[in-house]
Amino acid sequence: MLSRPYSPFSLWGEFDRLQREMNRLFNQAGWLRPAPCFPAVNIWANEEGQVVTAELPGVKMEDLDISVVNDALAISGKRETAEPAGGGKYHRQERECGDFSRTISLPYPVDADKVEAVLEQGVLRITLPRAEADKPRKITVKSAA
């Protein structure tokens, strides 16, 4: 009977295979997926400023609080629980309700006095102009002669 000699490399290969298989099983079951952040946001930035959009269906303007401190944007508020129509009971409820808070680091300082926010059809759009002192400056090169 032939058998392969013990090798620490083949043992580690088996551990790697076991790790991959366990990760696959947990991912299929959904156990190790990160919790979703609310609200979901998109951020665009260029040299002039940044635009942040956040999905906030069912949130009223008066229930929102937006602030900018240094290079961080804070969005907080609440979404009321919707009662089922006709006195029914929920069969499935996936939309989160209650208080929420989200702080987002911005890539550079903004001019807080010029920040604008608009809530339209459940999408919050925040325009954050870049602070003048932080904008890149073009330097003119002069000849020494």
Side-chain angles (χ1 to χ4, degrees):
M1 175 165 91
L2 294 173
S3 65
R4 294 189 303 202
Y6 169 76
S7 166
F9 297 110
S10 63
L11 181 62
W12 289 117
E14 286 299 309
F15 279 126
D16 286 342
R17 187 188 64 73
L18 179 62
Q19 176 77 45
R20 285 191 305 273
E21 186 64 20
M22 293 299 288
N23 287 343
R24 185 184 66 77
L25 290 172
F26 280 119
N27 285 335
Q28 280 181 348
W31 295 340
L32 294 180
R33 292 187 185 140
C37 290
F38 182 82
V41 299
N42 289 333
I43 303 173
W44 296 271
N46 61 24
E47 289 184 4
E48 296 300 315
Q50 303 158 73
V51 174
V52 176
T53 59
E55 296 177 2
L56 295 167
V59 176
K60 300 173 189 161
M61 284 189 305
E62 57 268 16
D63 292 334
L64 277 175
D65 184 29
I66 302 165
S67 61
V68 176
V69 178
N70 297 328
D71 59 348
L73 170 68
I75 303 170
S76 61
K78 67 178 179 177
R79 180 164 51 187
E80 299 294 331
T81 303
E83 295 299 321
K89 294 183 181 180
Y90 276 109
H91 170 70
R92 183 179 193 121
Q93 184 178 9
E94 294 183 351
R95 290 182 61 186
E96 296 179 25
C97 296
D99 295 338
F100 62 87
S101 179
R102 182 107 192 252
T103 302
I104 302 159
S105 293
L106 302 172
Y108 43 74
V110 299
D111 186 347
D113 294 332
K114 295 181 181 176
V115 172
E116 295 179 357
V118 176
L119 181 64
E120 185 177 356
Q121 296 182 357
V123 177
L124 176 66
R125 181 181 179 89
I126 306 169
T127 306
L128 303 139
R130 190 170 190 168
E132 284 296 323
D134 192 62
K135 286 184 180 179
R137 303 272 187 238
K138 181 157 178 79
I139 308 298
T140 305
V141 179
K142 297 177 185 175
S143 175

